[in-house]
Amino acid sequence: MSDSLYSNFYRVLNLNYEHAKEEAHDQLGPWLLWRIWKNRNEFLYKGKDYDAPSTVRKAREDMEEWRSRKKAEVSEVSRDHNGNLLWTCARELPTLGSQIEVEAEAIRWAVRILGGFSYQHVIVETDSLELTKMINGIEAPWPKLRPIIQDISNLLATKKAYRVEFFPRSGNKVADRIANESLTFMSHIPKLYSIMPVWLSSLLEAEKPL
């Protein structure tokens, strides 16, 4: 950190770019600043003091509460067998009842898009093990997910070499990064890229061995 207030602000707000391979949440910076300001007022006017861990925890809670009020954002990443980028896309969805519904809609969208590109062999990865089991017929679909899963199954039936597999979130930070970036888009039109965005290149390279 430096003696310049503006330099320090810049550094906090760009942690993800400077430390792309670390667990730096680029959306948390503004919420930390907001929580520090609120803590300052609490200390001045009520004499209440908060330590660093509780400040970070409250900042995360503020951020998650705000994000839960926004419409859902889903993102997809298409890579070849060597991990090279083929396509990235992001799309806003209407407010849904749960995260697993958002994930199911993302899978349905991915299968439709890739099928339209005429790819012959596709593995769709999701970090929801429960949803994976429902799509693959291991578990019965939840009633509210049944129409979406039925549509996914129908799409997969026309693409014999397509399959849905479980893959932990920790191994796919690229998709999470795209979802976070899509929160800043001013337009609600779905975004589709065939060229690597600058803000994604370092993460994609880091995940290639996976």
Side-chain angles (χ1 to χ4, degrees):
M1 307 300 280
S2 72
D3 293 332
S4 168
L5 176 64
Y6 297 104
S7 294
N8 291 338
F9 268 118
Y10 178 84
R11 185 166 183 174
V12 169
L13 295 174
N14 288 275
L15 283 174
N16 193 68
Y17 296 99
E18 296 183 16
H19 307 281
K21 295 183 180 180
E22 299 179 12
E23 293 291 338
H25 200 310
D26 60 320
Q27 298 291 320
L28 188 59
W31 296 104
L32 279 171
L33 298 175
W34 171 246
R35 179 51 58 176
I36 290 171
W37 173 255
K38 293 184 71 172
N39 286 359
R40 175 258 188 197
N41 292 338
E42 288 278 318
F43 180 74
L44 286 179
Y45 300 113
K46 298 181 181 180
K48 293 183 179 181
D49 197 9
Y50 299 90
D51 58 18
S54 63
T55 299
V56 173
R57 184 175 64 254
K58 289 297 295 182
R60 288 186 181 277
E61 291 174 359
D62 293 340
M63 180 184 68
E64 293 302 330
E65 181 182 0
W66 173 259
R67 292 180 68 182
S68 68
R69 293 176 182 176
K70 298 175 72 65
K71 292 184 178 180
E73 303 284 347
V74 298
S75 60
E76 311 291 348
V77 183
S78 176
R79 308 179 228 201
D80 64 18
H81 61 286
N82 291 318
N84 298 311
L85 181 72
L86 297 175
W87 299 94
T88 68
C89 44
R91 174 192 177 196
E92 182 182 77
L93 293 176
T95 302
L96 297 171
S98 64
Q99 183 59 41
I100 197 169
E101 289 180 81
V102 175
E103 189 73 10
E105 284 288 1
I107 292 173
R108 174 160 63 177
W109 188 43
V111 175
R112 281 178 174 170
I113 288 180
L114 296 174
F117 289 159
S118 300
Y119 289 117
Q120 299 301 312
H121 301 275
V122 173
I123 300 174
V124 179
E125 296 174 343
T126 171
D127 62 1
S128 174
L129 180 59
E130 197 161 19
L131 183 57
T132 304
K133 291 179 179 178
M134 286 188 277
I135 292 174
N136 290 319
I138 300 173
E139 292 185 1
W142 297 355
K144 64 180 179 180
L145 293 176
R146 191 171 291 123
I148 304 176
I149 292 178
Q150 182 61 50
D151 197 16
I152 294 172
S153 298
N154 291 339
L155 290 168
L156 292 175
T158 65
K159 302 288 183 181
K160 300 299 184 181
Y162 282 41
R163 64 180 189 271
V164 177
E165 294 184 355
F166 169 74
F167 195 74
R169 181 182 295 248
S170 59
N172 195 357
K173 295 179 182 178
V174 172
D176 191 51
R177 179 68 181 88
I178 296 171
N180 289 332
E181 186 70 20
S182 66
L183 293 174
T184 68
F185 293 158
M186 299 302 293
S187 171
H188 301 315
I189 299 173
K191 306 297 188 300
L192 186 64
Y193 303 100
S194 60
I195 300 175
M196 171 107 54
V198 174
W199 44 265
L200 194 60
S201 58
S202 59
L203 269 181
L204 192 70
E205 288 299 317
E207 286 189 358
K208 269 191 177 181
L210 299 177

